[in-house]
Amino acid sequence: MTADLAIYAETINQAWNSHDIEKVLSFYSPEYIGDDVGQASLLRGHEGLRAMLDVYWRAFPDLQFAVKDVVIQDSRVAIVWVAEGTHQGTIMNIPATGHRVEVRGMSIIDVEDGLIVRGQYIWDLAGMLRHMGLLPEL
């Protein structure tokens, strides 16, 4: 099962990078609950996920994720990733800056019956703001 979940993690990443909402949603349970540090409230079901992806894909139309590491324990998968994209639309009330952004983060997902039922997304929000030119370099 561990090898299957590792392949699953990479396949999910490919779906996200395709920007094909239906392909992405096919990996998620309709009862999905997600917690993203960049969102004000929990993501609920396909509609919550659809709304989140719409925000990110509009802000970064060329957004791409690269999987850096995968850790699996039972039906829980932790995916360490780096995302890159050009800030071309509004996000968090921040208008487009045109800056290239690189963000490091991690997704922790719980898989049941082949579908993601829970997700937690922790990523470097300050790093994103720094790449946008809105925070000073460290």
Side-chain angles (χ1 to χ4, degrees):
M1 180 165 182
T2 300
D4 291 343
L5 285 176
I7 293 167
Y8 188 77
E10 186 55 46
T11 306
I12 293 165
N13 187 62
Q14 291 169 4
W16 276 60
N17 286 342
S18 76
H19 292 221
D20 179 338
I21 189 66
E22 297 308 320
K23 185 184 281 188
V24 173
L25 293 178
S26 73
F27 289 93
Y28 291 80
S29 165
E31 289 81 36
Y32 166 77
I33 301 289
D35 188 5
D36 181 328
V37 297
Q39 301 292 311
S41 59
L42 291 177
L43 309 170
R44 297 190 181 277
H46 284 181
E47 288 312 306
L49 188 58
R50 184 184 302 272
M52 179 200 60
L53 290 171
D54 185 58
V55 166
Y56 290 132
W57 288 343
R58 283 180 189 252
F60 303 96
D62 58 347
L63 183 64
Q64 293 291 293
F65 290 84
V67 173
K68 298 300 182 180
D69 198 7
V70 177
V71 179
I72 300 166
Q73 181 181 25
D74 301 322
S75 63
R76 179 169 274 187
V77 182
I79 305 166
V80 179
W81 47 263
V82 174
E84 294 185 53
T86 308
H87 182 213
Q88 298 177 342
T90 300
I91 189 166
M92 295 182 225
N93 295 317
I94 302 166
T97 63
H99 291 177
R100 188 86 180 142
V101 173
E102 180 180 294
V103 177
R104 294 178 300 142
M106 183 168 58
S107 302
I108 302 169
I109 58 173
D110 292 306
V111 179
E112 292 177 6
D113 298 323
L115 295 175
I116 300 168
V117 294
R118 281 177 298 287
Q120 185 174 8
Y121 310 98
I122 304 159
W123 50 275
D124 184 11
L125 178 56
M128 182 184 80
L129 296 174
R130 223 173 266 108
H131 281 272
M132 290 177 176
L134 301 173
L135 286 179
E137 290 298 323
L138 296 176

